[in-house]
Amino acid sequence: MVPHLITALTGPINELEQRILDATPVIERWFRLEWMEHTPPLYCSVDIRNAGFKLAPVDTNLYPDGWNNLSPDILPLAVQAAQAAIEKICPEARGLMIVPENGKPSSFYLASLERLQQIFRMAGLSVRFGSIDPALKKSTSIKLPDGEKITLEPALRMNYRLGLKDFDPCTILLNNDLSAGPPGILEDLHEQYLLPPLQAGWSVRRKSRHFRSYEEVSKRFGKLLGIDPWLINPMFSSCGEIDIDEPAGMECLRSETDALLVKIRRKYKEYGINEKPFVVVKADSGTRGMGIMTIRDAKDLDQFIRKPARGRTAPQMPGGAVLIQEGVLTNERIHDAVAEPVVYMIDRYVVGGFYRVHADRGADENLNAPGAHFVPLAFPGGNQLPRSGVKPGASPPNRFYMYGVIGRLAMVAASYELEATDPENVMV
């Protein structure tokens, strides 16, 4: 079922949609050649914003949860993609161990793990969950609301391999973002595939590096289609490690914010956009939408370092390295609530997605926050394939195909990013 979606029906976004639909054979060949040269992450999800005048990714997650938010109808496609991925990595594989997040899992996260297990089990693998959380001392079964149960077991290091009691998997799938750094139990594995690789964890990964790679991809793709790369690329800047208690740290943040706002204003003027530009300031590493601030003027930064009045709270300035990203409005609504699409991929294939919907947030705000709900996206498949000759904006499958193109561009950028940080590729 296609969600009741209200989106921009005029302007550059429809021109972009038409350009993408007309160039579908060229685009698919371009992706095919990219994947001959680069290895996609095993899986990822991409948050996308459709402003009506541009369509751009704003976050790429290499350890995606939320699989339970996808429509059950996409399962056959997800299984086929998982089979393709496993055939390339370890064709003779019988077992897959999924490493979940540390800490006490929420019912929502457990439902996501259950869906992942279902996908890879139907792809022909025996799937078990091996936790690297030191607090988990014994096998623990947790019952889910749907009556199923998930069993978390302590991962065991046996010489140079990682597994479970009576379970020696060929492949280990990380669903743990390693924010605290890679534990020794995951290092120096022998003849086992660890996916994503350790450098995908947030102790190494930086959003600024990803969007630098995406900027390169968007320029090449823009040249291919004959479009301004800005229409699919959020401009950004960064200050590296800053201390907001030091004048130099705040001065860098203010100057970079002001410079980026100037660039956005120029683009708005070029395209006749009557919106007030803004930037989003967030930590250069980490997930879950925490510590994100919307800034329309560099002076606004001051409010985040002043002490809040008694009894009041204020948003917290992210510490450490900071990313300053062009803010992209969302012009999409589902039943009058602000929405944004999230695209899910396995290997090099789009396998589904959903709308993140938030009734209490504005078009310029972060929707990855408590109170959000999720509506599955009906991505092209069967009789939902993109249709040429249809007025832009009038066909959800056409729009969803465009979302999938943007998601795959972000996945290409992620492959560049992982290659650049691969220890075996780094020159000493």
Side-chain angles (χ1 to χ4, degrees):
M1 180 180 294
V2 176
H4 178 63
L5 172 68
I6 300 173
T7 188
L9 297 179
T10 60
I13 199 69
N14 280 348
E15 297 173 17
L16 177 62
E17 179 182 310
Q18 191 63 60
R19 190 70 64 93
I20 286 176
L21 289 172
D22 291 344
T24 297
V26 174
I27 291 170
E28 295 305 323
R29 178 179 182 273
W30 185 86
F31 277 120
R32 187 167 65 249
L33 295 177
E34 283 295 306
W35 297 132
M36 289 175 67
E37 298 292 332
H38 306 282
T39 302
L42 183 88
Y43 61 1
C44 79
S45 66
V46 179
D47 295 1
I48 297 173
R49 303 276 283 203
N50 177 2
F53 51 84
K54 76 179 293 178
L55 182 74
V58 293
D59 192 48
T60 300
N61 187 359
L62 298 183
Y63 300 93
D65 56 14
W67 292 92
N68 53 308
N69 292 325
L70 275 58
S71 169
D73 294 339
I74 62 90
L75 277 177
L77 183 59
V79 170
Q80 289 176 354
Q83 287 174 328
I86 294 299
E87 284 171 7
K88 288 191 301 184
I89 297 164
C90 186
E92 70 280 8
R94 295 182 180 179
L96 173 74
M97 187 173 82
I98 299 177
V99 177
E101 294 177 350
N102 291 1
K104 185 177 180 180
S106 66
S107 58
F108 176 89
Y109 181 64
L110 289 172
S112 175
L113 290 180
E114 180 191 24
R115 177 61 62 83
L116 261 185
Q117 183 182 44
Q118 184 181 14
I119 290 170
F120 283 97
R121 180 176 286 167
M122 288 193 293
L125 296 171
S126 174
V127 182
R128 290 167 67 176
F129 297 99
S131 174
I132 57 173
D133 187 349
L136 187 76
K137 303 295 185 183
K138 62 180 181 179
S139 178
T140 303
S141 293
I142 306 171
K143 191 172 182 178
L144 302 180
D146 63 2
E148 297 293 329
K149 69 177 182 179
I150 275 187
T151 300
L152 303 182
E153 306 173 69
L156 302 175
R157 183 68 182 245
M158 297 162 283
N159 296 322
Y160 289 97
R161 294 179 70 84
L162 186 68
L164 302 169
K165 185 178 180 181
D166 303 320
F167 189 67
D168 184 19
C170 167
T171 305
I172 299 164
L173 178 62
L174 287 178
N175 200 242
N176 181 319
D177 64 21
L178 306 180
S179 296
I185 195 172
L186 295 178
E187 296 179 336
D188 301 320
L189 297 177
H190 180 64
E191 294 183 351
Q192 275 183 311
Y193 295 94
L194 183 66
L195 302 168
L198 288 179
Q199 74 266 24
W202 284 121
S203 60
V204 175
R205 190 175 183 230
R206 294 294 178 267
K207 296 173 185 176
S208 55
R209 186 183 294 117
H210 172 75
F211 282 103
R212 196 171 297 116
S213 296
Y214 184 81
E215 184 175 49
E216 177 187 346
V217 171
S218 66
K219 287 178 179 178
R220 294 179 54 227
F221 190 77
K223 186 176 180 180
L224 181 75
L225 264 62
I227 62 170
D228 181 354
W230 177 76
L231 294 174
I232 58 172
N233 178 43
M235 295 187 288
F236 75 96
S237 183
S238 62
C239 282
E241 296 285 335
I242 64 169
D243 183 346
I244 62 172
D245 295 323
E246 294 293 329
M250 284 307 299
E251 182 54 37
C252 174
L253 193 53
R254 288 191 190 95
S255 62
E256 292 297 327
T257 296
D258 192 55
L260 186 54
L261 284 168
V262 168
K263 291 179 182 178
I264 301 170
R265 289 188 194 104
R266 287 173 182 162
K267 278 296 182 183
Y268 279 22
K269 184 177 180 180
E270 178 183 345
Y271 283 93
I273 298 165
N274 296 317
E275 300 284 351
K276 188 172 183 180
F278 66 100
V279 300
V280 173
V281 178
K282 52 189 173 182
D284 204 12
S285 64
T287 57
R288 306 293 182 259
M290 302 299 290
I292 295 178
M293 302 178 300
T294 298
I295 304 293
R296 295 187 178 277
D297 190 297
K299 295 178 182 177
D300 296 343
L301 291 165
D302 293 337
Q303 67 178 297
F304 296 105
I305 58 174
R306 295 179 184 142
K307 293 182 180 179
R310 182 177 297 177
R312 298 178 60 192
T313 59
Q316 294 295 308
M317 175 77 71
V322 171
L323 178 75
I324 307 146
Q325 187 178 59
E326 174 188 356
V328 182
L329 294 165
T330 178
N331 211 25
E332 303 197 74
R333 304 289 184 276
I334 292 182
H335 302 302
D336 297 324
V338 175
E340 64 185 9
V342 184
V343 176
Y344 277 65
M345 288 158 284
I346 295 178
D347 194 57
R348 57 196 177 102
Y349 304 102
V350 174
V351 299
F354 55 79
Y355 283 113
R356 181 182 289 119
V357 187
H358 207 304
D360 298 324
R361 292 286 173 120
D364 63 346
E365 293 184 286
N366 168 42
L367 305 188
N368 190 9
H373 69 278
F374 310 94
V375 178
L377 274 167
F379 268 92
N383 61 357
Q384 292 292 312
L385 288 171
R387 294 176 291 169
S388 60
V390 177
K391 181 181 177 182
S395 169
N398 287 0
R399 184 125 301 176
F400 298 160
Y401 174 74
M402 184 167 63
Y403 294 160
V405 168
I406 299 300
R408 285 184 289 165
L409 290 176
M411 182 177 247
V412 172
S415 72
Y416 290 7
E417 173 195 357
L418 293 178
E419 288 170 8
T421 54
D422 186 342
E424 295 184 4
N425 294 337
V426 177
M427 300 296 292
V428 179

